[in-house]
């Protein structure tokens, strides 16, 4: 008697990987270096990449593209501290500033030369701009804006991302093409521990690039003047307000509390649409993802598109008059009361509690 | 100038609900809209036409009912609308979508003339990948300018454009050549309301409707599910947190409530008090 075949599942969609893709190995993370600084999402990705590489039993490579110079080399050295085994160092004057044409060319050449099986990039303006071009050139699959990565039992990358405005999640595979590409949202993954004395192998690569062939020219770069002020994505404490505050004047109560706490303030999307607050303060799916130690949400209903941006917070405190508001389904601490009345009292109570005088008393 | 704008009809995701028991999307009665991000690109295209003359064509790939969105685009002043519709396109991921759209754009250029700029939206609210624009650019060999916050200059005679592009730590001012592909970011302009004449015209306008064959898309293995390297294996609702928030009872006065709330926060996260004291004093 022949054994019964396993029931057909969707996974049986898996065909054999074509021969020419078999030698694609290792997990790569693109290290996003812009104007001398590495975007932190690159380190977050190395943390994730490390887990995937260990599970697959392969190397973790960091790809560093940039102009010739210390910043580029330092970024490669730093990548080892965050877990890379190998750094692919691609230095070229044409790569001094990000431009789609030159970066897409260099990246595609590097992939074709060294053949990674997985290639991860941050879902930033740079990463998304680059990933789409590279994937189309290589004719492979790309899963955008992931919130979770894993390798399944047969070694395929399972990339999970929100869909339908965040109301659902879906897991996407690229089974028969290589590399399997994904972009990952910043701040979704925790920052891995930095190991100062960790080292690795540097592989240098010289791309075939020529400035005369690159049509797009960077005329100027205008840095965000207040970029060190609006540090929402990296703040330890965030206070945010929603439509429950009812007016731009009342929104000031949120700013006051944030100011007393030394915190950043944020808001839900309709608050931006009303023009009470600028769009760089919006938290959620189409705004910023935050991972503070404490998040205080006042007058925010907790729609799924807002929720996906705040779920990484250690402690979520919700103030909402409606005790059935969805925000109480994922907040840790809730109070069903009028935020417009509570916020000024909370500001005063925190001020008293956290004052230096109070601190001395606690110490003494 | 000839300008092409890709738009997509999407369900208004603000109104999508997930069935609490079956975890499936309840689509019934969910209205469809033009992907909101596409409107900023469309507006920019219309402004260029108003300034330099020429025509704006909108293109969408989708089911026959996507014609509704094209009509809306005509009603705010677009000159021509093309619908690419065929069951061969069903199940397309971004790579397959860009193949079909790039082929259709080639056909549009053969039929209606060379396009100077192709616009797409920054991203869709249903697919949300922000990849279809870059994919089309790559396939057509167009220079790519994504996340544009301002079209600073456009010189159709010299074939040059200068834009401000949102980067992570600031704004890049880039100069490039046409033909190019541009995606605008939200808030970069104010989308117009259509004129009465345009609305009348839109109601009667003919929508150019092409099947794969009409658009001379020969390689059907690059379309639809067949042409899509990615496979959606699973769709599921986010795991609900198992416990609800611990409620703090409001006190008699707002002050009492505030005290109670702070006590509850620090009881749960004792380390926070020291961290926050430091932060509050600016250390
Ligand atoms: C594609 C898409 C993307 C989106 N992206 C985002 C995003 O990134 N971020 C985001 O936030 N939203 C986003 N949204 C919008 C989201 O769906 C919700 O509409 C939005 O988050 C609701 O904002 P809100 O909670 O401030 O307002 P409302 O839903 O109007 O809720 C107000 C809340 O305040 C409470 N309230 C009223 N008065 C008081 C009072 N005096 N004191 C205390 N509470 C009070 C009410 O009970 C209610 O719960 C997106 C939507 C779509 C379709
Ligand atoms: N089916 C489609 N038809 C026409 N344009 C599309 C289609 N899908 C995506 N686009 C365009 O590509 C942009 C980015 O889409 P996405 O990659 O899905 O986020 C959209 O804003 C549209 O301008």
């Amino acid at each position: 008697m022949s054994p019964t075949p396993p029931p057909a599942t969707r996974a049986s969609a898996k065909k054999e990987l074509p021969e020419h893709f078999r030698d694609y190995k290792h997990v790569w993370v693109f290290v996003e270096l812009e104007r001398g600084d590495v975007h932190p999402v690159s380190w977050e990705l190395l943390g994730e990449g490390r887990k995937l590489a260990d599970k697959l039993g392969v190397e973790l490579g960091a790809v560093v593209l940039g102009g010739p110079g210390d910043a580029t080399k330092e970024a490669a050295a730093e990548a080892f501290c965050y877990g890379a085994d190998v750094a692919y160092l691609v230095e070229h004057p044409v790569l001094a500033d990000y431009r789609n044409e030159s970066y897409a060319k260099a990246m595609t050449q590097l992939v074709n030369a060294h053949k990674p099986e997985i290639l991860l990039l941050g879902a930033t303006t740079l990463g998304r701009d680059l990933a789409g071009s590279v994937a189309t050139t290589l004719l492979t699959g790309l899963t955008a804006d992931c919130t979770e990565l894993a390798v399944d039992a047969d070694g395929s990358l399972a990339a999970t991302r929100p869909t339908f405005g965040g109301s659902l999640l879906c897991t996407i595979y690229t089974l028969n093409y290589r590399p399997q590409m994904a972009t990952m949202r910043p701040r979704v993954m925790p920052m891995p521990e930095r190991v100062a004395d960790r080292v690795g192998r540097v592989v240098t690569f010289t791309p075939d690039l020529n400035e005369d062939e690159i049509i797009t020219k960077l005329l100027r770069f205008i840095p965000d003047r207040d970029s060190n002020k609006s540090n929402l994505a990296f703040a330890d404490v965030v206070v945010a307000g929603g439509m429950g505050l009812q007016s731009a004047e009342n929104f000031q109560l949120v700013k006051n509390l944030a100011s007393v706490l030394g915190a950043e303030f944020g808001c839900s999307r309709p608050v931006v649409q009303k023009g009470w607050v600028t769009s760089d303060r919006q938290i959620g799916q189409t705004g910023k993802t935050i991972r503070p130690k404490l998040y205080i949400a006042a007058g925010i209903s907790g729609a799924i598109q807002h929720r996906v941006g705040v779920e990484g917070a250690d402690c979520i405190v919700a103030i909402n008059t409606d005790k059935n508001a969805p925000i109480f389904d994922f907040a840790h601490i809730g109070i069903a009361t009028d935020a417009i009345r509570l916020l000024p009292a909370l500001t005063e109570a925190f001020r008293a509690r956290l004052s230096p005088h109070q601190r001395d008393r606690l110490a003494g | 100038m000839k300008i092409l704008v890709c738009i997509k009809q999407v369900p208004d995701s603000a109104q999508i609900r997930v069935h609490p028991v079956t975890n499936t999307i309840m689509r019934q009665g969910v209205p469809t809209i033009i992907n909101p991000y596409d409107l900023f690109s469309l507006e920019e295209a219309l402004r260029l036409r108003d300034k330099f003359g020429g025509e704006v064509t909108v293109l969408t790939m989708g089911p026959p009912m996507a014609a509704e969105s094209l009509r809306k685009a005509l009603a705010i002043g677009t000159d021509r609308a093309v619908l690419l519709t065929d069951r061969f396109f069903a199940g397309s991921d971004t790579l397959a979508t860009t193949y079909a759209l790039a082929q259709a754009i080639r056909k549009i250029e053969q039929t209606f003339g060379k396009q100077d700029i192709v616009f797409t939206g920054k991203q869709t609210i249903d697919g949300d990948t922000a990849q279809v624009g870059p994919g089309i650019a790559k396939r057509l060999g167009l220079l790519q300018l994504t996340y544009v916050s301002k079209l600073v200059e456009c010189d159709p005679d010299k074939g040059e454009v200068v834009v401000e592009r949102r980067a992570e730590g600031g704004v890049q001012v880039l100069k490039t050549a046409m033909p190019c592909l541009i995606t605008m970011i939200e808030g970069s302009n104010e989308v117009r309301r259509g004129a009465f004449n345009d609305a009348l015209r839109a109601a009667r306008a003919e929508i150019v409707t092409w099947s794969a064959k009409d658009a001379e898309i020969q390689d059907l293995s690059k379309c639809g599910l067949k042409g899509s390297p990615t496979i959606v294996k699973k769709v599921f609702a986010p795991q609900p947190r198992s416990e609800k928030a611990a409620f703090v009872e409001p006190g008699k006065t707002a002050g009492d409530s505030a005290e109670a709330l702070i006590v509850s926060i620090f009881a749960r996260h004792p380390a926070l008090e020291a961290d926050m004291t430091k932060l509050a004093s600016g250390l």
Side-chain angles (χ1 to χ4, degrees):
Chain A
M1 205 175 75
S2 61
T4 34
T9 60
R10 295 247 256 159
S12 63
K14 174 151 182 130
K15 293 180 241 142
E16 278 293 278
L17 188 65
E19 188 64 41
H20 58 282
F21 286 137
R22 301 255 167 92
D23 52 344
Y24 279 66
K25 259 210 170 55
H26 307 306
V27 178
W28 282 12
V29 168
F30 171 71
V31 174
E32 182 174 328
L33 177 67
E34 198 165 28
R35 307 196 79 75
D37 293 321
V38 173
H39 195 290
V41 71
S42 311
W43 308 143
E44 295 161 19
L45 270 173
L46 280 173
E48 277 309 290
R50 182 74 264 163
K51 290 182 213 156
L52 302 179
D54 289 344
K55 183 129 189 248
L56 290 165
V58 298
E59 282 177 350
L60 176 63
V63 178
V64 184
L65 272 56
D70 292 345
T72 314
K73 291 186 183 71
E74 275 161 25
E78 198 62 15
F80 297 133
C81 305
Y82 286 104
D85 301 311
V86 193
Y88 294 89
L89 184 60
V90 188
E91 289 176 290
H92 197 290
V94 174
L95 300 174
D97 279 292
Y98 176 74
R99 283 171 298 170
N100 177 271
E101 284 172 88
S102 46
Y103 269 64
K105 278 193 181 142
M107 191 73 191
T108 332
Q109 291 170 11
L110 184 70
V111 167
N112 285 330
H114 290 280
K115 302 184 175 17
E117 61 186 304
I118 293 176
L119 172 57
L120 309 174
L121 302 91
T124 58
T125 56
L126 194 163
R128 284 174 141 205
D129 187 80
L130 178 61
S133 305
V134 171
T136 313
T137 313
L138 297 170
L139 296 174
T140 190
L142 164 55
T143 308
D145 243 16
C146 299
T147 51
E148 202 184 318
L149 298 171
V151 283
D152 72 1
D154 61 5
S156 305
L157 178 69
T160 299
R161 66 185 304 268
T163 180
F164 283 103
S167 5
L168 290 176
L169 297 170
C170 64
T171 303
I172 296 180
Y173 286 71
T174 299
L175 293 178
N176 302 322
Y177 299 83
R178 291 293 180 269
Q180 307 161 82
M181 289 180 61
T183 60
M184 182 95 178
R185 293 204 76 170
R187 305 294 290 161
V188 172
M189 293 298 154
M191 185 62 82
E193 196 194 334
R194 182 178 181 280
V195 182
D197 50 3
R198 215 176 164 281
V199 289
R201 201 168 86 241
V202 175
V203 175
T204 54
F205 179 81
T206 311
D208 179 13
L209 291 174
N210 182 346
E211 183 61 49
D212 296 341
E213 291 167 11
I214 308 293
I215 296 165
T216 306
K217 306 289 174 200
L218 179 78
L219 303 182
R220 251 189 349 270
F221 189 89
I222 311 165
D224 291 335
R225 249 166 277 120
D226 59 349
S227 59
N228 49 348
K229 270 197 271 157
S230 164
N231 193 22
L232 188 56
F234 299 97
D236 278 341
V237 179
V238 175
V239 186
M243 292 311 287
L245 292 167
Q246 290 156 16
S247 70
E249 293 75 61
N250 286 339
F251 198 89
Q252 187 60 40
L253 302 175
V254 168
K255 296 188 193 170
N256 293 350
L257 176 57
S259 153
V260 160
L261 295 178
E264 289 289 340
F265 71 90
C267 64
S268 63
R269 186 163 88 156
V271 168
V272 172
Q273 287 166 333
K274 284 268 179 195
W276 300 350
V277 174
T278 53
S279 64
D280 58 321
R281 297 283 176 178
Q282 182 186 318
I283 299 170
Q285 199 203 357
T286 45
K288 299 232 158 65
T289 304
I290 60 171
R291 283 184 81 89
K293 291 176 180 159
L294 175 64
Y295 176 53
I296 301 178
I300 294 182
S301 60
I304 184 72
Q305 294 90 354
H306 188 80
R307 176 176 179 165
V308 292
V310 305
E311 264 176 330
D314 295 338
C315 178
I316 301 174
V317 176
I319 308 165
N320 195 308
T321 38
D322 174 6
K323 68 176 192 325
N324 295 316
I327 195 151
F328 292 125
D329 296 340
F330 60 96
H332 302 96
I333 297 172
I335 182 160
T337 188
D338 180 358
I340 300 163
R341 284 185 56 237
L342 181 66
L343 281 173
L346 196 58
T347 304
E348 281 322 304
F350 265 124
R351 193 203 301 277
R353 177 94 178 216
L354 302 176
S355 70
H357 164 76
Q358 177 76 5
R359 191 182 60 209
D360 293 345
R361 218 196 57 205
L362 279 177
Chain B
M1 278 183 90
K2 291 204 160 124
I3 307 166
L4 186 112
V5 186
C6 292
I7 64 170
K8 189 180 183 195
Q9 186 170 51
V10 296
D12 185 353
S13 66
Q15 302 195 36
I16 286 185
R17 297 282 171 272
V18 178
H19 193 281
V21 179
T22 58
N23 274 349
T24 51
I25 296 176
M26 303 194 290
R27 291 168 195 258
Q28 292 99 319
V30 175
T32 55
I33 52 174
I34 297 180
N35 178 43
Y37 295 115
D38 299 352
L39 293 172
F40 300 107
S41 289
L42 181 56
E43 173 61 32
E44 210 59 37
L46 294 171
R47 285 183 189 188
L48 287 174
R49 181 209 53 194
D50 294 347
K51 191 160 166 200
F52 298 109
E55 54 184 33
V56 174
T57 304
V58 279
L59 165 66
T60 195
M61 176 180 95
M65 72 165 213
E68 280 169 31
S69 291
L70 293 175
R71 237 173 253 290
K72 281 184 207 154
L74 289 168
I76 60 172
T78 307
D79 301 285
R80 181 187 299 112
V82 179
L83 171 65
L84 183 65
T85 184
D86 203 311
R87 64 191 166 83
F88 291 114
F89 302 135
S92 295
D93 73 356
T94 51
L95 196 69
T97 300
T98 60
Y99 173 71
L101 287 174
Q103 288 299 107
I105 293 171
R106 289 199 175 98
K107 177 74 182 177
I108 286 172
E109 297 203 316
Q110 279 171 26
T111 320
F112 304 111
K114 184 112 190 73
Q115 304 293 310
D116 299 298
I117 301 181
V118 174
F119 280 97
T120 71
K122 178 186 92 167
Q123 67 195 69
T124 51
I125 60 168
D126 60 344
D128 211 357
T129 74
Q131 279 158 26
V132 168
I136 293 173
K138 183 62 31 191
R139 287 184 184 274
L140 294 175
L142 303 173
L143 296 157
Q144 167 181 328
L145 300 165
T146 55
Y147 304 102
V148 170
S149 51
K150 190 174 168 195
L151 261 163
V152 184
E153 264 173 59
C154 176
D155 187 335
D157 298 327
K158 279 202 255 167
E160 274 177 10
V161 273
V162 176
V163 302
E164 290 185 2
R165 171 178 186 272
R166 177 111 290 278
E168 288 300 313
V171 172
Q172 289 185 315
V173 184
L174 293 168
K175 177 163 137 182
T176 199
M178 292 188 255
C180 56
L181 181 136
I182 298 178
T183 81
M184 302 297 299
I185 57 170
E186 62 276 22
S188 47
N189 54 35
E190 193 138 336
V191 182
R192 68 188 60 189
R193 311 179 80 93
F196 185 63
N197 282 346
D198 290 320
L200 284 181
R201 192 176 51 85
R204 292 190 302 260
E206 187 210 347
I207 287 177
V208 181
T209 305
W210 286 342
S211 65
K213 188 151 166 266
D214 299 331
E216 290 172 53
I217 298 179
Q218 264 117 22
D219 194 348
L220 294 176
S221 73
K222 292 187 180 148
C223 297
L225 270 181
K226 262 201 205 134
S228 300
T230 59
I231 295 171
V232 178
K233 274 260 183 101
K234 195 168 78 175
V235 180
F236 54 104
Q239 196 82 84
R241 248 172 57 91
S242 45
E243 20 158 11
K244 259 187 103 91
F247 277 97
V248 172
E249 275 308 311
K252 270 212 197 74
T253 65
D256 295 343
S257 302
E259 283 300 335
L261 189 57
I262 292 174
V263 165
S264 157
I265 293 170
F266 290 151
R268 204 184 156 105
H269 292 270
L272 258 182
E273 180 153 16
D275 289 348
M276 288 179 67
T277 307
K278 258 200 212 155
L279 195 63
S281 56
L283 293 175

